[in-house]
Structures are given as C-alpha cells and as structure tokens.
Amino acid sequence: MSDGFQFSEFLSGFLAEAGDLLAVSSKSLLAMDETARGGRPNARAVREAFRALHTIKGLSAMVGIEPIVAIAHRMESALRGADREGKKLSAEVVEALLEGHKAIEQRVRLLAEGKVPPEAPARLLALLEGGEEGPRAPGSAGTPVFDPRVAAKLSAADQEQLAEARAAGRQLVRADFTPTPARAARGLNITSVREQLKEHVDLVKVLPLAVPRTDETPGALSFALLFTAPPELDVAALAARLELQLAPLAQVVEVPAENLPEAPPDDEGELVPQAARLVRVEVGRLDDAMERLSALIVTRFRLAKAVVDLQQRGADVRELQQIVAENARQLRDLRSAVLQIRMVPAAEMLERVPLLVRGLKQSTGKRARLEIDAGKAEVDKAVAERLFPAVVHLVRNAVDHALESPDERKQLGKPEEGLLRIVCFERGGNQLELSVTDDGRGVDRKRVAARAGREEPQTDAALLELLCLPGLSTREQATTTSGRGMGMDIVKRIAVDELGGELLLETRPGAGSTFTLRVPLTVTIVDAFSFLAARTRYVVPVALVEEIVEIEPGQLIRGPSRKPGAPAQVGMLQRRGKALPLLRLDAIFGGASALEPPEPTKAIVVRRSGQPVGFSVHRMLGQQEVVVRPLDDRLVRVPGVSGATDLGDGKPTLVLDLVALAASTLQKSARGTA
C-alpha cells in the first residue's frame, strides 16, 4: 500500500466508480454461480466480471490501494483463463471469486469510512490462485525487464500482467496525458481519456506524475497510462485522437526498437471526442443545493405574505402578485429539477439483495429463488439509503423465519425451492411502495402472542403491532442471521417513524406473507395541506392524506364522555355507509385552545394499517410546498410529529404524521377505556 495514500485527492472519485463496478461484478458473479451449478458456461458474465475487476484493479493502483489490487488481479487471472479458453468455471472457483468480491467490498467500505484497509488475506489469495487457471508465476511467460524509473511504481501483479500480455503477442504501450485548460474545454480529461481507452485496450496502470509548471500546464500533473493492446490495433491513431503522447517502449519494457510505434502527428485538427454525458456529484453537494432551494421557498412564503399585507393596506399590488405567481412557478420547476437529480432507480437500491440472499441460503441451508421487479421506479437518494436497511431485515426474516427447509416443503407438497419476490413501484406520483413476499409458512399468531405475552391478535394489523414490539423474537437463541428481536422494530422505525410512511402485513398460514412499505419519494421538500385545529396551525404531507371530507351534523356519532385528562375525544364519522374513527386534533394536543373549541367542520382521512381514520379540523388553509425540518432532539420528539416548517411568518409550524398519530392515540384510548 502506498504510504499515506499520496493520491488521496482521487479517492472520492475512486469510491464512486468502485461502487458501480462492484455492482456489475456482483451481478455477473451471481449469474456465473447459477450457471456453474447447472454445469453450463456463461461467457458473457465472465467477460463482464473480468472487465469490472480489471477496472477496479487499475483504479485501486492509481490511488495506491495494493490490497485491492492483489485480490482483483488474482480474480481477474482466473476469469481471463476461462474467457480465453472457453472453459466453464466450477462452483468451487465461483465460490472463491465471490469471497474475493466480498473482501474487495469490505475494503472499499473501510476506505469510505476513512480507515486503512487491511492487507489481502494469504488464505484468500492462495484460494484464488487455485482456480481453473491461476495467475502464472512471475517469469513464466518471459518476464520483461522494466526501466527502473517505472518499475519502482509497478506492483508484482502489474509486472505479471504485462508479461502475460507480451507472451500472448499483445502490444505493450505507455502513453502520457497532460491535463490543460484547452483540453478540458474540449472534453478531454483523465476520466474521459481512460473511459475511451478502455473500449479498445486493457489498462494496466495509471500513474500520476509531477511535471514542471508552465502557462499551459498550471496543474503541474501528468498521467502515464500503461496498457496492452491487440496486435492489429493502430495505437498511434488512437493516441492522436485522444491527444496522448506515446513514450518509447523502453521506458516500459526493453524490447527491440523495431517494435516501437510511430509518434502521433502533432495535428490540432484531429477529431475531438465528445465530452462525457454523465457527471458524478457528491451527495453533499446535492444536499447543499436542496438546502438553498429550501431557503428560497421560505423566502417566497414571506414575500407572498408581505404582498397580502400591502393589499390589505390599500396598495395596488396586481403587478407584484403576477411576479409572485411567476416566481412560484419557477421555484416549482426548480424543485422538480433538483429532485430529479437526487432520484436514483429503485433497482439500484436493490442490486445488493441477490448477494445477500445467496449468503442467507448458505448459512440457513434453505433453497430460495429471488425475483425482483423494480420497473422504472425512482426514489430520492437519501430515502433509498435509509430504506435499504429495512429491506435487509425483511429479506433476512423471509429466508430465516418464513421459508421452510427443503425436506419440510417437500412433505407439505411445495417445491423444495422457496420463492422470495420483491416488487417496487411508484404509487400516486409521490409514494414508493415496496413489498417483500414469500411462499413460506406464514406468521404463527399463537406463537407471536405467546412470546409477546399478549392475547392472540385477530387481524393482520394487530399481529404486525406485536411483531414490531422492541425486543420481540420468536427464536429461542440468537444466530448470526436473526433472533435478537430487533428486525421488525427497526423496519417500523425506519418506514414509519423516520420516513413518515406506512408498514402493512398480509399473511396466510401455510401460504406465505407479504410485508409492504409505503414511503414518500422524498422527505425534504413536500407538498402539504395547511389547516387550523382550533386556533393552531399545522401542516400534513399530501402523500399521507386519502381525502378531505365535510363534517355534516347527521354524520357525526359522539363518543362516550371521558374523564379529564383522557388522551383524546373519539367519535365516529359516517362515510359512504361505513363508520370510521374520528379524532379531534385540538383535544389530542390540548392547551388553552382545546378548552372551549369551536365545532370542527372538516375531517382529514388517512389510513392506518389499511383502515381509514379521520382527524377533525376547523379550517383548511390551502396546499403548498413546505420545507420539513426534522426534530432530531429526542427530548422534543413526539409521536405523530415528523418535523417543523416555516410558512413565511418566522414561526415554527408542526408537520404532522397523522398515521403515526392515529396509532398512538387509538392505543392510548384503548388503554384508557380498559
């Protein structure tokens, strides 16, 4: 490993690209694992995994992370043999490759946390070298003699790869690229050059080199790119197109002079490649853009309020109102654009699940077939990062608790291989619905009730409430997979408490279960209804509201009188022939405004565990975009309050999670009645 990561300024870019490449290699290795167990080759998966690992190795060498270089090189060597000779990989070799992939992933994660990754385990390296065609020993293909100025920066794996390429008749090339403002303006930088080179050659090493400062090269940094190319490739033409300066091969390896390629012509009229169509942006910068947009929205509220005040004083504000309206439309468009930048495919969030399921199958001895259908659903990056741990817990529970063993499934007349299906789609344009379904044994109500010390639940909603109790587990002893009583509690905390969403359960004995998560696509800037309960103003996200109805005197059924201090005044509201619980917000939050409140006129209807619940309010103020500021301090957090916002008057307004508030209030009311 290089001392102190002397090229640490490239580390953030490395982490971003390594994450994408690891996702590609994971998918390819899992495809190889599936076909290897069936005794079939998978040439396409082998090539895709090889390219991804080869790029990871080159990037790791660039930032001086030798442990990853060593692991990736040995994995690459095994894959190279399979690709070159058309051989299928055995299940044992694929198992070793997956273990190597996991080791690389762990070291990338440590780098992201600012820690130094450990050296590659000798046992793992030996295991990878025992593959179908392990890496040749240095010198076995006629080791080249390297120039000392370059050899000092080449690892043994790099030298070995060059030796193998030379033995296979490939061209060994060094090309230098010096970034300049003029080249950057034409879309040529080290990233775009490297990406275009990879389409034609095999990159071995990218070495940053110091160069004398000039007016043309103010950065004082150049890059030496070492690569191997097919014998038929016109390297000189490729170098000219990418504005690379070919260096004599003697600086890479001592070879006869007649094998030197010609220097590229110095022609400024060469075809300039197009700039890359993708730009990597750190999430922190997106968060900063969202924060500034949030400030603009609050300022717009203040401006609109000031215009209303001027109008009430008799001023002519017609032109100013038009400007405010136009500004509101522009901010909505800007909000949409910023949110689109933050959105990531739901499929990307779920791409690590297959590897998780494979590990669970090995640790539990169960057989499971995973199906993922994410379609084109997208979700905010921040929501995806918070939601994924909940998905992990649901998947673990499904494999470890729900699916039966192969023998048990055979006795029940089921296929020995269980089915685990994850479906994800956008719901109503502002929610993401994700369901995890299994065809296992279903949730045992009696066992759950006994473990919780409660009465047997009669509905799936009541059963889910027991499953989400902190510390509840149906396992007698904890294993590496489950049994600590934290799984469903964490799922509920993430989906309901943190994201303001909903968690549902549908289960049938012997047929399986479906856990459904419904969460907002974004949680920073949301469309919300503002309203008055008594004399206090609140807001609620539009995504949580099913409908808003008028309260007619004949529709309202009064609840029984309650003692002073009762948690809520609960009545019933007739809606389309059915009665639903009606809760009074002014009574729930109490205070002076609740002593002699006026009669409510409207009800906001939400769904809790699939059942409608109404909240009576006194006046709807309108719909608008609001900036939600979460209440992180545990001392001021209250069930049913997801945050606060500023509606332009400088005063905090509570943002309500009416689903969580309904659950908390009805539970208190049930205990009060008992």
Side-chain angles (χ1 to χ4, degrees):
M1 190 182 307
S2 301
D3 293 337
F5 300 115
Q6 69 259 33
F7 304 119
S8 58
E9 63 268 26
F10 303 110
L11 196 56
S12 61
F14 165 79
L15 292 172
E17 291 203 33
D20 293 342
L21 293 166
L22 283 170
V24 173
S25 61
S26 171
K27 183 178 180 180
S28 302
L29 290 173
L30 287 171
M32 291 160 51
D33 178 54
E34 183 177 349
T35 53
R37 296 183 185 281
R40 306 186 310 276
N42 192 332
R44 180 177 179 180
V46 169
R47 286 193 292 271
E48 288 180 352
F50 175 83
R51 284 194 290 265
L53 289 165
H54 182 70
T55 306
I56 288 174
K57 184 184 76 171
L59 293 173
S60 302
M62 179 177 175
V63 293
I65 312 170
E66 294 301 331
I68 295 181
V69 173
I71 299 171
H73 175 70
R74 283 160 177 79
M75 294 175 67
E76 179 189 18
S77 296
L79 292 167
R80 184 188 295 118
D83 188 35
R84 184 166 57 232
E85 300 183 16
K87 297 187 300 182
K88 64 178 182 293
L89 292 171
S90 67
E92 292 76 14
V93 174
V94 176
E95 186 70 35
L97 291 170
L98 284 166
E99 187 174 343
H101 180 277
K102 183 178 180 180
I104 293 176
E105 201 171 39
Q106 290 172 341
R107 282 154 180 78
V108 170
R109 190 179 304 116
L110 289 173
L111 283 167
E113 295 171 356
K115 301 176 182 177
V116 178
E119 295 297 328
R123 183 197 63 80
L124 174 60
L125 298 181
L127 183 65
L128 290 169
E129 287 179 344
E132 295 278 346
E133 181 179 312
R136 298 185 179 94
S140 61
T143 304
V145 179
F146 295 93
D147 185 291
R149 292 169 295 179
V150 175
K153 298 183 179 180
L154 296 179
S155 66
D158 298 327
Q159 298 185 30
E160 183 180 328
Q161 182 178 350
L162 288 168
E164 290 177 347
R166 181 186 183 188
R170 293 177 66 86
Q171 301 181 67
L172 307 182
V173 185
R174 169 184 168 181
D176 292 347
F177 177 79
T178 302
T180 65
R183 285 173 176 159
R186 295 193 294 271
L188 284 179
N189 53 48
I190 185 58
T191 301
S192 63
V193 168
R194 188 174 66 233
E195 291 298 321
Q196 294 185 66
L197 271 180
K198 286 192 299 186
E199 297 178 3
H200 307 282
V201 305
D202 286 342
L203 273 173
V204 178
K205 195 89 168 183
V206 179
L207 300 172
L209 303 173
V211 297
R213 292 181 180 272
T214 65
D215 293 338
E216 186 181 359
T217 60
L221 183 67
S222 181
F223 296 89
L225 300 102
L226 276 61
F227 56 86
T228 69
E232 66 276 8
L233 180 67
D234 188 344
V235 175
L238 178 63
R241 182 164 63 87
L242 299 180
E243 300 188 25
L244 301 174
Q245 179 67 41
L246 291 178
L249 284 181
Q251 292 187 22
V252 180
V253 57
E254 293 182 359
V255 295
E258 58 266 26
N259 290 339
L260 294 179
E262 296 180 2
D266 185 12
D267 186 0
E268 292 296 333
E270 288 292 331
L271 177 65
V272 177
Q274 292 184 351
R277 301 293 298 273
L278 297 176
V279 178
R280 293 188 183 276
V281 180
E282 294 180 2
V283 176
R285 295 189 179 186
L286 295 179
D287 292 340
D288 183 59
M290 183 65 78
E291 186 69 21
R292 296 176 187 275
L293 174 60
S294 301
L296 285 175
I297 291 176
V298 174
T299 302
R300 187 195 71 197
F301 293 158
R302 295 176 60 190
L303 178 60
K305 187 175 183 300
V307 172
V308 172
D309 291 341
L310 286 174
Q311 186 179 27
Q312 292 175 349
R313 296 175 188 174
D316 184 2
V317 295
R318 285 175 294 181
E319 185 175 354
L320 193 55
Q321 286 175 333
Q322 293 178 359
I323 295 174
V324 170
E326 180 64 25
N327 176 253
R329 287 192 292 269
Q330 292 172 346
L331 279 177
R332 280 196 297 270
D333 292 341
L334 179 59
R335 172 205 172 193
S336 177
V338 173
L339 289 180
Q340 285 299 318
I341 295 173
R342 294 178 59 91
M343 302 297 272
V344 297
E348 179 180 307
M349 174 184 66
L350 300 173
E351 62 190 6
R352 288 176 285 174
V353 173
L355 201 58
L356 169 65
V357 172
R358 185 184 185 278
L360 290 170
K361 290 192 294 185
Q362 290 182 327
S363 62
T364 61
K366 297 179 180 180
R367 298 177 60 186
R369 183 176 83 257
L370 174 66
E371 295 181 359
I372 297 178
D373 180 9
K376 297 182 179 180
E378 293 184 329
V379 64
D380 189 297
K381 176 72 172 177
V383 174
E385 290 177 348
R386 292 159 71 176
L387 185 60
F388 183 71
V391 177
V392 170
H393 283 289
L394 290 177
V395 170
R396 282 178 175 168
N397 284 347
V399 177
D400 198 26
H401 290 276
L403 294 183
E404 307 92 342
S405 66
D407 291 340
E408 187 179 353
R409 292 180 65 88
K410 190 174 182 181
Q411 293 175 1
L412 294 171
K414 295 182 176 182
E416 294 186 20
E417 185 178 59
L419 174 64
L420 180 62
R421 181 171 173 78
I422 301 177
V423 178
C424 190
F425 61 91
E426 292 184 21
R427 184 173 183 267
N430 51 24
Q431 273 191 322
L432 181 78
E433 180 167 314
L434 185 148
S435 62
V436 179
T437 303
D438 65 77
D439 65 346
R441 57 174 60 93
V443 182
D444 189 333
R445 299 176 186 272
K446 292 183 179 180
R447 182 176 177 82
V448 172
R451 296 290 294 181
R454 305 281 183 87
E455 294 182 1
E456 181 179 342
Q458 300 303 310
T459 64
D460 288 344
L463 175 60
L464 180 61
E465 289 185 6
L466 291 186
L467 288 173
C468 294
L469 290 175
L472 177 70
S473 175
T474 56
R475 283 289 175 87
E476 298 293 340
Q477 293 182 340
T479 67
T480 57
T481 307
S482 61
R484 295 173 180 82
M486 297 184 295
M488 291 307 303
D489 177 35
I490 292 176
V491 173
K492 176 180 177 294
R493 191 187 319 148
I494 293 173
V496 179
D497 300 339
E498 294 183 8
L499 295 176
E502 192 175 7
L503 175 62
L504 306 172
L505 167 64
E506 182 180 348
T507 184
R508 290 185 296 164
S513 305
T514 297
F515 287 88
T516 301
L517 299 170
R518 292 175 183 162
V519 299
L521 296 179
T522 183
V523 293
T524 304
I525 301 176
V526 299
D527 290 316
F529 293 118
S530 57
F531 59 89
L532 290 176
R535 300 175 181 84
T536 306
R537 184 171 55 180
Y538 303 96
V539 298
V540 58
V542 172
L544 297 181
V545 177
E546 181 169 302
E547 69 173 318
I548 300 172
V549 298
E550 297 283 345
I551 298 179
E552 301 293 341
Q555 297 176 322
L556 188 59
I557 303 174
R558 300 288 181 181
S561 59
R562 296 184 172 272
K563 300 177 182 179
Q569 297 179 13
V570 181
M572 302 296 288
L573 179 67
Q574 291 287 344
R575 187 185 67 143
R576 292 190 285 275
K578 295 184 179 180
L580 58 88
L582 183 64
L583 311 179
R584 289 193 62 154
L585 275 175
D586 53 352
I588 292 173
F589 288 105
S593 61
L595 296 179
E596 295 181 0
E599 286 300 317
T601 60
K602 298 182 183 296
I604 299 176
V605 181
V606 299
R607 282 195 174 268
R608 169 186 171 265
S609 301
Q611 300 300 317
V613 179
F615 287 87
S616 64
V617 300
H618 296 84
R619 181 185 172 192
M620 298 300 300
L621 300 177
Q623 178 180 342
Q624 59 198 117
E625 294 172 320
V626 299
V627 179
V628 181
R629 303 295 185 188
L631 302 177
D632 296 325
D633 191 338
R634 293 182 178 273
L635 296 177
V636 298
R637 293 186 65 177
V638 178
V641 178
S642 58
T645 188
D646 181 355
L647 297 180
D649 56 3
K651 299 177 182 179
T653 301
L654 294 182
V655 181
L656 302 184
D657 179 354
L658 295 183
V659 177
L661 187 60
S664 173
T665 304
L666 291 176
Q667 288 173 2
K668 290 179 181 178
S669 298
R671 289 196 295 268
T673 302

